[in-house]
């Protein structure tokens, strides 16, 4: 299982790969936001996955546009998960981010960060707080 690079090694994250995992998340809790749809579920204890692992999946249908548009939306969703899940995600949970047509790829990224933190707070019944500012990623000079 591939891991997402995380700033917090104490909260390991991994990518969902199996269709069955996506289907289980789709039948669980949902939170609709302007830039994406969040599906989340707490894993059962009998599942053969490490209990301290946060798993996340991404999906963008052809409604978003051609392959270039879908890939751009998925890149933004992956970066969103990389920035917010280590702090706001819960171990033992699976999350699926679903891209929205004409919103995920074009919406302001700072607004997406706020929406994702708010969606996680609603899913976990927590008070809504803004995410921590993130360090820019790029080439070191």
């Amino acid at each position: 299982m591939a891991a997402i690079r995380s700033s917090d090694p104490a909260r390991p994250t991994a990518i969902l790969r199996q269709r069955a995992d996506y289907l289980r998340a789709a039948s669980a809790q949902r939170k609709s936001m302007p830039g994406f749809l969040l599906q989340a579920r707490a894993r059962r204890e009998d599942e053969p996955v490490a209990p301290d692992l946060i798993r996340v999946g991404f999906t963008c249908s052809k409604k978003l546009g051609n392959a270039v548009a879908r890939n751009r939306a998925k890149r933004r969703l992956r970066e969103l998960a990389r920035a917010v899940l280590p702090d706001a995600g819960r171990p033992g949970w699976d999350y699926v981010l679903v891209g929205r047509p004409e919103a995920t790829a074009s919406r302001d990224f700072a607004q997406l960060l706020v929406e994702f933190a708010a969606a996680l707070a609603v899913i976990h019944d927590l008070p809504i707080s803004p995410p921590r500012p993130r360090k820019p990623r790029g080439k070191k000079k």
Side-chain angles (χ1 to χ4, degrees):
M1 185 166 291
I4 294 179
R5 282 177 276 148
S6 166
S7 60
D8 186 4
R11 288 193 159 179
T13 56
I15 304 287
L16 291 174
R17 299 286 184 198
Q18 302 292 318
R19 183 173 188 267
D21 294 327
Y22 281 89
L23 294 175
R24 281 191 287 265
S27 64
Q29 297 181 40
R30 294 172 180 227
K31 179 60 184 159
S32 180
M33 300 304 274
F36 57 87
L37 171 70
L38 175 64
Q39 301 170 340
R41 77 174 188 102
R43 287 191 303 273
R44 296 186 318 262
E45 292 182 13
D46 63 342
E47 292 186 48
V49 179
D52 63 335
L53 192 63
I54 299 171
R55 298 192 310 172
V56 63
F58 311 96
T59 184
C60 292
S61 72
K62 287 190 176 184
K63 291 178 186 178
L64 268 77
N66 61 11
V68 174
R70 291 192 306 271
N71 288 335
R72 180 167 190 244
K74 280 197 273 189
R75 279 194 308 270
R76 289 174 61 103
L77 292 175
R78 281 193 296 268
E79 185 58 32
L80 192 63
R82 190 175 291 126
V84 177
L85 274 182
D87 297 326
R90 286 201 179 160
W93 280 70
D94 291 345
Y95 303 98
V96 175
L97 288 161
V98 181
R100 292 198 158 209
E102 300 180 20
T104 303
S106 61
R107 195 158 178 83
D108 181 45
F109 192 75
Q111 187 62 34
L112 284 175
L113 285 170
V114 171
E115 290 172 0
F116 189 39
L120 287 171
V122 169
I123 291 284
H124 297 305
D125 295 325
L126 299 173
I128 298 174
S129 62
R132 292 186 331 206
R134 62 188 187 100
K135 295 179 183 175
R137 294 182 61 197
K139 294 181 180 178
K140 293 182 180 179
K141 294 183 180 181

